Amino acid sequence: RVVCIVFDEAHKAVKEYAYVKVLQQLNACGARFRVLALSATPGKDIATIQTVIQTLNVSRIEARWEEDEEVKRYTHTVEKEIMYLEPTEDVHMGIRLFDKVLDPILNQIRERGGLRQAGLQRNTTVTSHGMRMEYNLMVEQRNDFSLKAFQQPVGTLLRAREALKEHDVRIARTKLIAFASSAGHNSSIGNKITSSKEYLQLWKTVVDGAPLPIEDVKRNNPKLQKVDEMLREHFERARACGKGDTKAIIFSTLRESVQEIVSVLQSAAPLVRAVKFVGRSTTNKDEVEDVADGDDDNATTTGKKSFKTKGMTSDEQKKTIENFRNGIHNVLVCTSIGEEGLDIGATDLIINFDCLRSPLRMVQREGRTGRSRAGRVICLVYRGQEEKKLRESEAQTRTLWRALRNTNGFNLAKNVPLLPEKPVLERRDMQVRRNEYRMSQIGGLTQKAKKKRKKRINNGKRGNGSSSALDDDNTSRSSGSGWRLTESEELERQRQFGTLHHFAKSSNHYLRKYIKAWKPHSDLRCSSIDRSTSTSRS
């Protein structure tokens, strides 16, 4: 019988997730049960939270922030810091070339009625996430599929531009090669883009001119320089303070970036022992799906490809986490797969190599530290688009928590209590018959206790002057009458306690201890004593 279900990470209760199917089956059986839903981040926006409420039949919301007194006493201090960095001139040049390639295509999309949402009015602010949301909105509201031909090629180019803005030229080069090998030759839009002189200039600058040696990449990427510097400083300070078990986690959205960070940190070994941790590989070893690309919280298989970026098998993932937990590696560089659900112990430093628009995932990242002791979270942010994305995430986080504090904006489920709010009580006198009671029903009566009891009775039979009393008592027990007070003892009892009426017969065994207490001062005695019966009744 199910009376209560506890869902951890309750924000996953959307679409076809297992939580949804479990509740559907229980409700189909007519079961009545409670649901306790737990989540550090209930949803990425108001609509998602409402979906979770509706799915789990939530009738009451209790929200606590890290600054609340109920939470403070159980948590450790987490120091948060944002480091703003300026992109290199190569990055600025690459962005300008991307804009020249994308401007004609984005203008054509506007002529077809697309890109009308706030934040998409300027071509320089259009993102792959915004493009995808715009397409979905046109399909849902107007049943308009006119942007379908633009979705894949333009989305791939936009992701390449975002990789350049938030990472470096080398990552953008990987995305651009992926575009040329797939979307660029599989559609009329892609062929039109790849044949333009703006695209050829972009290819020459980003692909042919990208620095390939890892040392050149580090010199041209301020984020990689800062990561290497901070980790060296962190572990040197920890070693000086005797904290040899300190660990750090670096989060990056792209698998290519994860591999790049690990390669750069190899120069800091053995002080910094970094290892990558990414999603599972697919059947195609050369081209796998980039699970973490974009800001879709539920992104799993979105058709977005990353060129020659191999994933990890389940055994490799387990081994990596075990080595990190045991201290063989002290830096874990991971994608979104490391944001939740990992048992990795104490982590003192979290570095966000890039920022996310989703407040849910940002909170999940920060929650990896400050569990067993004080921690530190550092966000590396490029000025410009990434800085704007961080501000949007912070603003959305504040909006969500205000909504959770005041739940009037949500459509909560009606509370159906397991018991009535005003129950009608009925009093009944219940009689328990002795012959329905068994010694085996008494908790703690083990076989060893039974043997001791039997031995005690047998010793009593062999003792002086007790055999007749026990034999008489056993006889009385076999007849079902039990022991009784003699006439003189009954008169004395009435003189001391008065007439007890119906209580007297059922409570003689309670009076027995009083009679035994009087024995040194009077001639009162019991005609027969059954120790085992007295013990069982008391």
Side-chain angles (χ1 to χ4, degrees):
R1 181 185 178 187
V2 179
V3 295
C4 181
I5 304 179
V6 180
F7 291 113
D8 194 14
E9 305 294 351
H11 58 271
K12 294 183 177 180
V14 294
K15 298 182 180 178
E16 297 298 321
Y17 197 72
Y19 291 174
V20 181
K21 296 181 180 180
V22 168
L23 287 175
Q24 288 175 349
Q25 293 184 12
L26 287 174
N27 290 328
C29 296
R32 299 188 66 186
F33 52 89
R34 294 288 191 189
V35 171
L36 176 60
L38 307 175
S39 178
T41 49
K44 62 181 180 180
D45 51 36
I46 300 295
T48 304
I49 296 177
Q50 181 59 56
T51 301
V52 174
I53 291 174
Q54 184 175 353
T55 302
L56 301 180
N57 290 326
V58 176
S59 60
R60 178 180 175 183
I61 298 177
E62 290 289 342
R64 297 294 183 273
W65 190 241
E66 56 187 0
E67 299 298 328
D68 292 334
E69 292 299 327
E70 299 101 321
V71 179
K72 265 187 174 181
R73 69 185 73 173
Y74 302 108
T75 58
H76 301 271
T77 303
V78 176
E79 178 185 352
K80 298 180 182 180
E81 182 179 357
I82 301 175
M83 292 187 177
Y84 293 100
L85 305 173
E86 287 292 341
T88 62
E89 183 56 35
D90 291 341
V91 171
H92 285 300
M93 181 183 297
I95 292 174
R96 288 194 293 269
L97 292 175
F98 266 107
D99 291 343
K100 289 182 179 180
V101 174
L102 287 167
D103 278 347
I105 306 300
L106 295 178
N107 291 334
Q108 188 176 353
I109 293 175
R110 294 183 190 282
E111 293 175 358
R112 294 172 177 259
L115 304 179
R116 296 179 178 179
Q117 297 184 69
L120 302 179
Q121 285 78 12
R122 298 172 55 191
N123 292 343
T124 55
T125 61
V126 177
T127 63
S128 59
H129 174 77
M131 178 77 178
R132 186 167 62 251
M133 294 298 101
E134 178 74 10
Y135 173 73
N136 293 337
L137 191 64
M138 291 179 64
V139 172
E140 292 175 3
Q141 294 184 353
R142 305 197 299 264
N143 198 26
D144 186 353
F145 293 88
S146 59
L147 298 185
K148 185 176 182 179
F150 296 88
Q151 183 70 9
Q152 184 179 0
V154 177
T156 305
L157 274 181
L158 288 172
R159 284 190 290 276
R161 184 174 71 174
E162 292 161 16
L164 181 62
K165 291 181 178 180
E166 300 176 8
H167 296 273
D168 57 24
V169 177
R170 181 170 174 166
I171 304 299
R173 176 181 181 272
T174 305
K175 296 292 184 184
L176 203 56
I177 293 175
F179 170 78
S181 62
S182 58
H185 298 290
N186 294 333
S187 66
S188 59
I189 302 296
N191 291 330
K192 184 177 181 179
I193 293 175
T194 54
S195 61
S196 65
K197 62 179 182 179
E198 292 83 6
Y199 178 82
L200 296 177
Q201 181 64 32
L202 173 65
W203 183 274
K204 181 179 180 180
T205 303
V206 175
V207 178
D208 297 337
L212 296 180
I214 196 65
E215 289 301 323
D216 292 342
V217 171
K218 180 180 176 182
R219 282 193 294 268
N220 288 275
N221 190 331
K223 285 189 176 183
L224 289 176
Q225 296 175 21
K226 185 60 67 174
V227 165
D228 184 70
E229 175 188 337
M230 288 188 300
L231 288 178
R232 290 176 185 267
E233 179 185 355
H234 173 79
F235 286 105
E236 287 175 355
R237 186 189 301 115
R239 184 169 58 183
C241 298
K243 296 181 179 179
D245 61 338
T246 183
K247 297 182 180 68
I249 298 180
I250 303 175
F251 286 105
S252 182
T253 307
L254 306 178
R255 289 183 180 181
E256 300 94 335
S257 176
V258 168
Q259 184 60 56
E260 191 175 76
I261 296 170
V262 172
S263 300
V264 168
L265 294 178
Q266 287 179 353
S267 61
L271 179 65
V272 179
R273 304 181 298 277
V275 63
K276 76 172 184 178
F277 183 65
V278 298
R280 290 177 294 180
S281 60
T282 61
T283 55
N284 190 335
K285 300 299 182 183
D286 294 327
E287 186 175 332
V288 299
E289 293 169 351
D290 189 352
V291 176
D293 194 12
D295 285 335
D296 188 359
D297 299 319
N298 300 308
T300 52
T301 308
T302 58
K304 297 169 284 188
K305 304 290 184 179
S306 61
F307 187 72
K308 291 186 179 179
T309 307
K310 185 180 178 181
M312 300 175 67
T313 64
S314 298
D315 292 338
E316 290 174 338
Q317 291 175 345
K318 293 177 182 178
K319 186 65 175 178
T320 299
I321 293 300
E322 181 181 353
N323 291 340
F324 181 69
R325 190 187 301 116
N326 296 333
I328 298 177
H329 301 291
N330 55 11
V331 177
L332 190 70
V333 188
C334 57
T335 55
S336 60
I337 192 175
E339 292 173 358
E340 58 180 321
L342 296 182
D343 180 17
I344 55 179
T347 303
D348 300 318
L349 177 63
I350 300 294
I351 299 178
N352 289 322
F353 195 80
D354 50 20
C355 291
L356 302 171
R357 186 178 293 102
S358 167
L360 186 152
R361 290 177 59 186
M362 290 296 289
V363 172
Q364 293 284 5
R365 286 183 175 187
E366 296 172 1
R368 309 311 301 175
T369 188
R371 297 191 173 189
S372 58
R373 58 192 182 197
R376 185 184 181 195
V377 177
I378 300 175
C379 294
L380 302 180
V381 182
Y382 276 145
R383 295 287 186 181
Q385 178 176 310
E386 193 173 23
E387 181 182 5
K388 178 183 177 182
K389 183 187 293 187
L390 178 63
R391 290 198 300 267
E392 290 176 353
S393 176
E394 292 174 342
Q396 191 172 1
T397 301
R398 291 191 294 268
T399 301
L400 292 179
W401 281 107
R402 282 196 299 267
L404 291 172
R405 291 287 194 181
N406 183 12
T407 59
N408 294 332
F410 293 110
N411 184 19
L412 299 177
K414 182 180 179 181
N415 185 23
V416 181
L418 297 180
L419 295 176
E421 295 183 0
K422 296 181 179 180
V424 179
L425 303 181
E426 180 181 354
R427 179 173 178 176
R428 293 183 181 181
D429 293 332
M430 301 180 64
Q431 300 294 332
V432 180
R433 292 180 294 179
R434 293 183 183 178
N435 58 358
E436 293 182 355
Y437 196 78
R438 299 289 183 270
M439 287 294 295
S440 60
Q441 297 173 336
I442 299 178
L445 186 63
T446 61
Q447 293 295 328
K448 186 176 180 180
K450 290 181 179 180
K451 291 180 180 180
K452 286 185 177 181
R453 174 172 166 248
K454 185 176 181 181
K455 183 178 179 180
R456 186 171 64 249
I457 294 174
N458 292 335
N459 291 339
K461 289 182 179 180
R462 291 192 294 267
N464 295 329
S466 60
S467 176
S468 61
L470 287 169
D471 291 343
D472 293 342
D473 186 64
N474 288 336
T475 303
S476 64
R477 285 176 59 196
S478 62
S479 63
S481 59
W483 65 273
R484 294 180 180 276
L485 298 177
T486 63
E487 184 177 355
S488 60
E489 290 170 347
E490 178 67 22
L491 293 174
E492 180 63 22
R493 180 187 64 74
Q494 292 182 9
R495 187 177 66 82
Q496 294 289 338
F497 298 100
T499 304
L500 300 180
H501 302 291
H502 67 280
F503 178 78
K505 291 184 179 181
S506 61
S507 304
N508 281 341
H509 58 283
Y510 292 117
L511 302 177
R512 180 175 174 184
K513 60 181 180 181
Y514 295 107
I515 296 172
K516 293 175 69 175
W518 298 335
K519 192 172 182 180
H521 309 288
S522 65
D523 295 332
L524 294 176
R525 64 181 179 83
C526 293
S527 59
S528 63
I529 301 175
D530 180 2
R531 293 186 180 92
S532 61
T533 304
S534 176
T535 304
S536 65
R537 290 176 179 174
S538 60

